[in-house]
Amino acid sequence: MKKLFRWTALWAAAVLLLLAAACGGEKQTASLTAEEAFPTLLGQDYEAAYLLTNLGMTIDSTAGVDVDGALYYPAVSEKYKTTADLRALLESTYADSATVDRLMATTDQKGNPLFRDIDGKLYQSAQGTAASQWLEPDLDNIRGQENGDQATAVVQETGLDGFLYECTVTAVRSEDGQWRLTAPRSEAPRKKVGDVLTGEEDQQPQVSSSQVRQMAENFLMALKAGDTQTIEELAGAQPGTYQGWSALEISKAELNETLEEYETGGTYRVALTVDNGVGLLPEGEQIWELWIRCDENLQLKAERFQQGDPAPYRHMEHPAGEQVSRMLSYFGGPDFQGPSQLDDNIITEYCLQVLAEENGFQDSGFTLEQVQQAVYRYFGLENFDPSGTSFYRPETDDYMAYGRGGIEMPEYNLYLTQGDEGKVEVRLYTYQDPLCTRRDKMQLWTLSDNGNGTYEFLSAVTGEPDGGEQQSAQPDTGEEPENQE
């Protein structure tokens, strides 16, 4: 399943950090209302999160100091010269002293303090933290409500997963008259409210939730009437893609349940009764799922129309499904009977990307031992030698994979089944049509459970979409084919 990513997120993060730095820790005017104080508080909160989870502090990587086997770099900052300056930022942002103490005790991946003072100066660990800041707040889109010495604010956030969120934060007026947050924004309750749209930064959705529902209803009316031209237009399909659907006899096609609905899309369950499927659709009373989404040009389109429970999307969130999705996004769908058949560059880059994510995308490279441990974890290969790959840096004797774009994949679903002895089978189905009703290819991935939330890749083999029988028109029912050999 393709997602839209906001590639300007890093730029936006830098801008927000600068904005936060300009106001972080400054004493509020006593007469400020909560609504006036929220932008400053949330800016300081963002700065604190960026420093504590994204290695946002500027450091001098040429002046590292070893402390009991842990490498630390001196901070290069006029604002943060000691840990006391960091504490001052947190104390001006959060009302609870326990929250301040907890954040000041943040550790790196190896359990060492993330920040410490050495000879009266602030130093940061070279290792990253386990968490990362992945939700960007919109400081110009805050809706506040004040009630005496307490206040709440709804903040819109942009997620790096391709969705828009809203979270609710709370602030209280302290004894000194200053407003402070009761907890970090990252710990606030939130909900998904829409898709992130690509394009110009000031571009806004030109549709409403009522238009989204109308699009869904128009699709169902066209389906019931056998109006293939309208179906193809609504799905953004080439003329003739659904030509055979004009012969369908459908007596009922109605919205049965709204799963989600917002300005840029909606997901609906559809009650469908097919009297004559002409070999294209199964007959009888059924429940289907219809996705309506905005494309990159802010145009609504019917994106998916599939029968049954949307199990494939949950399978993508399973750790084994996530690993397969990661492999697909980096390298497409490579076939291999065993990990040793994969190119060393594929194995090395996959592991380096995982290591970078686990370690907060640190600037320094990874050691041979770290790479070999990851290779053994994900590919089961012992004593792997990555020195011949393009990711080896002889000048520092380490390994580094830099940022990269993804592979453009067709629409796909993943179906996961549990096998014997801890093995998991993940079936990848790609589709011939925009609505994902006709399977094109099946690739069977086999992984083994490591018992720690990660899986070892064993093989990936491409075959016909339904166990050898080429499927040209049958819709995806969401059920596993009986013959899977």
Side-chain angles (χ1 to χ4, degrees), residues 235-254:
Q238 294 294 321
T241 301
Y242 300 104
Q243 182 176 358
W245 288 26
S246 61
L248 293 172
E249 296 179 12
I250 298 176
S251 57
K252 181 179 181 180
E254 299 175 355

Side-chain angles (χ1 to χ4, degrees), residues 379-398:
F379 296 94
L381 299 176
E382 295 185 284
N383 301 317
F384 180 78
D385 181 10
S387 61
T389 69
S390 58
F391 306 104
Y392 177 58
R393 303 191 301 182
E395 66 277 9
T396 52
D397 192 27
D398 61 8

